[in-house]
Amino acid sequence: MGQVFSYALNQAVIRDFKDRGFVVTPDVFDLPTLNKYGQAVDEEVRSRTANDTRTLDEKTRYEQSFVQCMRLWETHPGVADLSFHSGLAGIAAQLLEVSGLLMWQDQALYKEPGGQQTTPHQDQTFWPIGTSPLISAWIPFEDVTVASGAMAYVPGSHKVGKLQVVDITHATEPYDILTDPALEQIEPEYVEIQAGSVIWHHGFTVHQAAPNLTQQTRRVFTVVYISDQARRAKNWANYPLDRAGVAVGERIEGEGLPRVWPPTDSRPDPARMIGRATGPQ
């Protein structure tokens, strides 16, 4: 790919990701750096949720799974430093084996004490992007155990491709993707992870998260990357693509879809974007 990676992967890690659809990269961040990023995300989550005084029981089933705040890079420069982290983007490019990446979105996923299990699903089926190479970085700000809401992945499920969409946002009793015959009754594997490490999963990997049985909020940030060769596949309403004016068949690019690999010295100014990122999600 002609690029120098600050966190270079060996071929065994790349093969593992291609075979299983998820992989852990240890020690991506030292703890002081991770804590700095965590404080920035905490600040933005507090700001965005300041007017929500509901108890957990008063929230929808989806909201009981996690507190979700999206596109934080557009409203907090400190979070943007994490979202545009060239080491992260370089890992994503190596795992997908592509030469260029855009940021599809970033988001905080904070699972409150007592937070429900996150319903098993695939990410990529939500979006009108077809089979474009897509990958998510799952970045915990503290150690995560099964008891505190660890992620679980169905090994090899990304090779099956698109399954029925799981409407985790609205459905009260959604289709159970784990019973789909295409998955051959393969059980999800839970991944406990130490702070500083990152879990990566493919856009079609079936995954879920355990409930949070502890008294501490599980603080996690994710960045989703998409190939810079991706094109819009469907005309479904979609905030980032509609906002950028991307028509069906056109290459995905434009405002709110910044290039993150190869690394560049320039990037969009979050201050200019304030007020835009909190629109329809």
Side-chain angles (χ1 to χ4, degrees):
M1 284 180 255
Q3 294 292 332
V4 176
F5 299 102
S6 59
Y7 192 109
L9 303 179
N10 62 48
Q11 287 301 310
V13 174
I14 297 172
R15 285 195 302 270
D16 196 31
F17 176 76
K18 291 173 68 173
D19 181 54
R20 291 167 58 79
F22 65 97
V23 76
V24 176
T25 51
D27 303 322
V28 176
F29 301 105
D30 60 52
L31 292 184
T33 300
L34 185 69
N35 289 336
K36 178 188 71 173
Y37 291 141
Q39 290 170 8
V41 176
D42 287 346
E43 289 173 2
E44 189 61 15
V45 171
R46 280 197 299 269
S47 174
R48 296 217 190 169
T49 61
N51 295 325
D52 188 354
T53 59
R54 293 174 298 167
T55 66
L56 189 65
D57 289 341
E58 293 172 323
K59 296 182 179 181
T60 67
R61 172 65 179 80
Y62 179 68
E63 292 172 316
Q64 289 174 0
S65 299
F66 42 65
V67 175
Q68 181 181 35
C69 299
M70 303 175 70
R71 302 180 185 92
L72 280 70
W73 74 267
E74 299 190 32
T75 54
H76 195 299
V79 179
D81 290 340
L82 175 56
S83 302
F84 284 87
H85 193 282
S86 61
L88 279 176
I91 296 172
Q94 291 173 82
L95 291 173
L96 287 182
E97 298 182 301
V98 298
S99 59
L101 289 171
L102 307 178
M103 188 197 309
W104 177 253
Q105 65 182 34
D106 67 11
Q107 61 182 347
L109 298 174
Y110 280 25
K111 192 179 287 285
E112 300 169 271
Q116 299 276 353
Q117 171 183 286
T118 306
T119 304
H121 63 281
Q122 295 174 305
D123 290 337
Q124 196 152 342
T125 56
F126 298 143
W127 304 314
I129 56 175
T131 59
S132 302
L134 181 129
I135 191 172
S136 294
W138 199 84
I139 307 159
F141 293 129
E142 53 266 315
D143 296 354
V144 177
T145 65
V146 173
S148 64
M151 292 287 285
Y153 306 89
V154 178
S157 53
H158 64 303
K159 298 178 182 178
V160 174
K162 181 179 178 179
L163 299 173
Q164 182 176 328
V165 178
V166 179
D167 186 1
I168 64 174
T169 306
H170 301 102
T172 54
E173 295 183 4
Y175 147 76
D176 184 357
I177 198 171
L178 297 180
T179 65
D180 194 298
L183 297 183
E184 300 179 343
Q185 297 182 324
I186 300 173
E187 291 293 323
E189 291 186 13
Y190 280 96
V191 180
E192 297 189 321
I193 185 171
Q194 293 185 321
S197 299
V198 177
I199 314 177
W200 302 84
H201 69 265
H202 189 280
F204 284 119
T205 300
V206 176
H207 59 285
Q208 65 185 94
N212 184 0
L213 305 179
T214 74
Q215 297 304 307
Q216 302 297 319
T217 297
R218 187 213 67 184
R219 301 158 55 241
V220 167
F221 187 73
T222 72
V223 186
V224 184
Y225 305 90
I226 191 169
S227 166
D228 66 356
Q229 300 301 304
R231 294 179 181 272
R232 184 171 190 161
K234 302 286 184 180
N235 64 356
W236 311 336
N238 178 265
Y239 178 66
L241 298 184
D242 295 341
R243 170 183 163 189
V246 179
V248 174
E250 289 184 345
R251 183 174 292 179
I252 293 174
E253 60 184 351
E255 186 175 56
L257 295 161
R259 181 175 295 275
V260 291
W261 189 264
T264 175
D265 291 333
S266 63
R267 70 188 192 197
D269 179 9
R272 188 178 66 82
M273 311 299 292
I274 289 176
R276 304 186 187 187
T278 54
Q281 304 294 302

